Amino acid sequence: MNKLHKDTNITEGYIFTSYGGDKYLKDAIIAATTIRRYDKERPIALFCTEEHSKRIKDWNLADLFETVDLLKEPHRSIIGFKHNLHHYMPYDRNMYLDSDMIWCKDPDPLWHQFAPYGYTYTGQESADVFFGAPKNIGVLADVIFKRRQRTLKRFGLTHLYRAQTGIMYAADRALTEKVNKLAASYNERMDETHFISRTNEKGRKLDSCEWSLGMAMSKLQLFVVPWFNGYESPQLDYIHGMTRHNKDYTEVECLYYCNPFIQSLRGIKQEKVRNLVLKLFSVLPRSQDHMWVTPYVLHFGWKHQKEYFREFTEYAWEKIYPESETEK
């Protein structure tokens, strides 16, 4: 069927990419299998390298994807792909997904959230000071010298979206290309902004597309689907100590603070330090208001939380392909 409604001809599908080592292909396969827990109708496409296409056939897992097609070599990076989505639109409505994700519930309502828009992604109305900037005390220089404000003024922006491109959506090819080309032009002018390369962070090998897409969407006055949206949150971060789940991640709940400032403290790396800070700020109004939310997607985006995703992928892969000798 592959349709939003059985009485229409509108096709909807999920899209993954895969390049690099085998573990990235395994991640995409595992993420796709978690979609199939809840959605057995919409197709899943994979754009990948020649090597990964061969691997899928060798593992007899090609049936998981309706389409396995070539990801062009210039697009085999975060920026390369996410600034070129208009080249990869096999369906009328396309949902692009990172692979370090686990689906947690029926995605039908999420598709309805995205349906009115020609192009969008999940995000927030206003980016925090760390967005595209140093993730340490070095950000104080940006604050003191008002570098963020100067970037916005230089490019004629009145606000800066916080892009979280783990989930992206495209239905209008012309609009998608317009956003992509504008974002690419901003990326080429990085030295005129306060943004820094993500490769400056320890362990990061690929640069980010998010600040440039945030600028493009802000400039074009397009709508961004709220990243944090209570019980209807499209995706929430896995944070050890703030996420309850069983071994298969078929039962998932994330601690969600209703106060945005308190919610932002989830990123503190050391759990004991985070709990201490949360306790110190517990005197603030609304600081204890919280929900236990099952998001549509649990995203393992924080680098210091990746070990928990690796534990799950190793467990899940053994169930999918127990005889595999692929790299961990």
Side-chain angles (χ1 to χ4, degrees), residues 216-236:
M217 291 284 278
S218 301
K219 185 69 172 181
L220 296 173
Q221 300 180 4
L222 299 177
F223 178 76
V224 167
V225 173
W227 175 12
F228 300 112
N229 196 26
Y231 292 115
E232 281 298 305
S233 296
Q235 59 174 311
L236 291 177

Side-chain angles (χ1 to χ4, degrees), residues 32 38 55 71 78 131 140 147 151 162 180 241 247 258 281 288 307 321 328:
Y38 309 99
R55 279 289 199 189
L71 179 65
I78 295 172
F131 181 57
L140 288 178
R147 290 171 178 166
T151 294
R162 168 59 166 103
N180 289 338
K247 191 170 185 179
C258 303
F281 283 108
Q288 296 302 294
E307 62 181 288
Y321 198 75
K328 299 293 185 183

